[in-house]
Amino acid sequence: MRHALVFGGSGQIGQPLLPLLRRDGWRVTALSRNAHSDEPGLHWLCGGFEALPPLPARVDAVFSCGPLDVFARWYAQTGIEAARVVAFGSTSVDSKRGSADARERDVSQRLRDGEAGVFATAQARGATATVLRPTLVYGAGRDATLTRIAQLAQRWRRFPLPRNARGLRQPVHVDDLAAAAFACLESAAAPGRAYALPGGETLTYRDMVARVLAVLEPPPALVELPSPLFNLALLAAQASGRASGLGEAAVRRMRSDLVFDIAPAQRDLRYVPRAFRPTAEMFVARNDP
């Protein structure tokens, strides 16, 4: 029986990946920071990279569904034998590369270093690696963008946006990401490659937010403000701690297109992601399995 080791097994991508592997006959060892009960074909280990429990010495595949840079460092240092490695990164590797925000540039650099490290380690060990780069992730209530928008809008009963927030976006559902990771196992073309994984629909930032607000109960109002007024509101929210992490660079990107080529993933992974049709449940955290 083939054996898979899954980091982030209880996370937003790991959760839907586990049943795909088990249905295909894989024996799965999954890691989580929280304790879970074993099930047939699924063994849980509790711990994080800073304090890992004993791991299998050899598996057929390793999946990393958490921070890429941390996984890359562990992979370079461990002696685990695995013929196949599939690791999640982010399209931020490109979209934040030239950001005016030093913290965002650092994120991009850490992603680039992580990708390079995973590929180099795999090659040195005679293994094959694939890196998957999602766009805006949603669906499990754990993402830092759309779920956060939903939560803030429900708290404020409205959500402000600057006028002309019409940069294009491609939000992607966690189940589609899990399916792409699983497809890497059978793809002859995927080893040694990195794939952008956008969602199945391209829409403006403004329309994306409007769809999120429309499914909430009661639906918060979308308030579009002139840039000077929005900037004043943002400064006030930042001063009160309600808009931490939302800086000038992030606001500027609302007007910029962040669109990625789906064709390589369609060709090599038979990737067919869904259109953006959110429901309120998608912005509520799923319970751990």
Side-chain angles (χ1 to χ4, degrees), residues 228-279:
L229 186 56
F230 179 84
N231 292 337
L232 287 174
L234 179 61
L235 285 173
Q238 289 172 335
S240 65
R242 293 179 297 172
S244 59
L246 183 60
E248 181 182 349
V251 174
R252 189 181 300 120
R253 278 199 303 276
M254 294 179 187
R255 298 188 177 98
S256 301
D257 294 344
L258 299 181
V259 177
F260 300 88
D261 186 7
I262 196 174
Q266 287 179 322
R267 180 192 64 229
D268 297 344
L269 306 178
R270 298 182 180 178
Y271 180 60
V272 186
R274 69 201 68 191
F276 185 56
R277 299 290 184 269
T279 64

Side-chain angles (χ1 to χ4, degrees), residues 8 46 125 136 169 180 184 216 223 228 252 277:
C46 186
R125 296 181 181 177
L136 276 171
R169 295 295 186 271
C184 288
L216 304 178
V223 181
R252 189 181 300 120
R277 299 290 184 269

Side-chain angles (χ1 to χ4, degrees), residues 13-25:
I13 301 173
Q15 278 195 30
L17 175 61
L18 297 184
L20 296 179
L21 290 166
R22 295 171 68 193
R23 283 197 296 267
D24 196 48

Side-chain angles (χ1 to χ4, degrees), residues 12-13 88-96 111 131-139 143-146 168-174 176-177 180 195-203 205 208 257-262 265 271 273-274 276:
Q12 60 178 343
I13 301 173
F88 278 90
S90 170
T91 50
S92 293
V93 69
D94 292 324
S95 64
K96 294 182 179 179
L111 286 166
V131 172
L132 302 176
R133 301 169 174 170
T135 53
L136 276 171
V137 180
Y138 74 98
D143 62 278
T145 302
L146 295 181
L168 298 179
R169 295 295 186 271
Q170 299 164 305
V172 59
H173 195 279
V174 292
D176 296 326
L177 297 176
Y195 294 92
L197 294 182
E201 182 177 4
T202 301
L203 69 166
Y205 195 98
M208 178 181 70
D257 294 344
L258 299 181
V259 177
F260 300 88
D261 186 7
I262 196 174
Y271 180 60
R274 69 201 68 191
F276 185 56

Side-chain angles (χ1 to χ4, degrees), residues 143-154:
D143 62 278
T145 302
L146 295 181
T147 293
R148 188 180 181 204
I149 287 172
Q151 292 170 343
L152 291 174
Q154 287 181 308

Side-chain angles (χ1 to χ4, degrees), residues 93-171:
V93 69
D94 292 324
S95 64
K96 294 182 179 179
R97 189 168 190 166
S99 172
D101 189 322
R103 292 169 298 182
E104 293 187 347
R105 294 196 303 273
D106 179 65
V107 168
S108 175
Q109 185 62 56
R110 286 190 283 112
L111 286 166
R112 291 199 300 276
D113 292 345
E115 288 190 6
V118 167
F119 284 127
T121 301
Q123 183 177 29
R125 296 181 181 177
T128 59
T130 301
V131 172
L132 302 176
R133 301 169 174 170
T135 53
L136 276 171
V137 180
Y138 74 98
R142 299 188 186 186
D143 62 278
T145 302
L146 295 181
T147 293
R148 188 180 181 204
I149 287 172
Q151 292 170 343
L152 291 174
Q154 287 181 308
R155 185 185 310 163
W156 300 337
R157 299 183 182 177
R158 60 186 58 81
F159 193 81
L161 279 181
R163 284 181 184 166
N164 299 318
R166 299 190 179 278
L168 298 179
R169 295 295 186 271
Q170 299 164 305

